Amino acid sequence: MSGIFGNAKTAATAAAAAAHSTAASLLASAQIAPGTEIPDIKLLKESSPELNAEGAGDAASALKTDGRIIILGVPGAFTTPCSNQVPQYIEAYDEFVAKGVKAIYVVAVNDQFTVKAWKEKLAPNGTPIRFLADDQSAWTSATGLIFDATPLLGGPRSKRYAMIVENGKVSSVFVEDAPPNITVTSAKTLLAHL
């Protein structure tokens, strides 16, 4: 009997070590900087969470666009700080447009079903802001804006950041010192930088 449990314990330990190794490698990327092109990595749309024949949802490639866009990275849908931050952008959307912003995207390391439900909760009457799911943290890892949130959120998550992108290149990126903070990434602060 102990052999079966011993093998299970060894397998669980190996799996935990592999997961930690994967998380460590994701966290090792350099943080994206002004002048850098944004990653050409597709994100899942919140508006189409139905699965296709291959078992995947529709992908978005809209982040590679002409003009000025805002990308708002958040640690997790439905978390209190994120649910307090995003409504600032929803309320100030017209002010962003008046300053030449073509689109605002909220990117969360969550599945698209969760992101869709969160958008509906935050904006029950709709919003032009797009919510995108980085379900496997590929986008977030490529930008270097990832941290190990395993103790609280179960795995690597996005740092809280606000990125101004002009014609596919980062012009400014603002990252909070701690994920719960909403200071340099508040809508009011970002508007002042435009």
Side-chain angles (χ1 to χ4, degrees):
M1 226 25 188
S2 64
I4 293 171
F5 292 114
N7 290 342
K9 184 177 180 183
T10 302
T13 302
H20 178 67
S21 175
T22 300
S25 67
L26 291 173
L27 300 173
S29 299
Q31 183 175 300
I32 198 165
T36 307
E37 284 196 28
I38 61 173
D40 191 15
I41 295 173
K42 294 183 178 183
L43 295 163
L44 300 175
K45 296 177 186 177
E46 90 291 336
S47 59
S48 306
E50 299 79 24
L51 299 180
N52 63 27
E54 290 80 37
D58 290 340
S61 57
L63 294 182
K64 285 283 192 179
T65 186
D66 292 334
R68 179 187 287 169
I69 64 169
I70 303 295
I71 303 171
L72 186 65
V74 296
F78 289 103
T79 62
T80 301
C82 299
S83 294
N84 289 333
Q85 179 190 25
V86 174
Q88 297 174 14
Y89 284 80
I90 293 171
E91 292 168 14
Y93 182 80
D94 291 338
E95 293 176 65
F96 281 101
V97 170
K99 291 201 171 212
V101 173
K102 185 175 180 179
I104 298 175
Y105 298 92
V106 175
V107 177
V109 179
N110 290 101
D111 64 83
Q112 68 186 133
F113 299 96
T114 300
V115 171
K116 180 180 188 224
W118 187 44
K119 178 181 181 179
E120 290 172 351
K121 179 169 177 54
L122 294 179
N125 298 319
T127 176
I129 292 176
R130 297 300 310 266
F131 286 56
L132 301 173
D134 185 15
D135 64 339
Q136 296 182 20
S137 68
W139 160 269
T140 304
S141 299
T143 63
L145 293 164
I146 192 165
F147 77 104
D148 185 6
T150 302
L152 183 61
L153 299 173
R157 293 297 180 111
S158 174
K159 293 179 180 180
R160 186 176 311 283
Y161 67 87
M163 191 183 302
I164 302 170
V165 177
E166 308 260 359
N167 300 317
K169 286 190 177 180
V170 177
S171 63
S172 301
V173 62
F174 306 92
V175 184
E176 296 292 354
D177 290 335
N181 295 348
I182 306 169
T183 56
V184 298
T185 62
S186 73
K188 182 178 178 179
T189 302
L190 206 64
L191 279 165
H193 284 282
L194 294 173

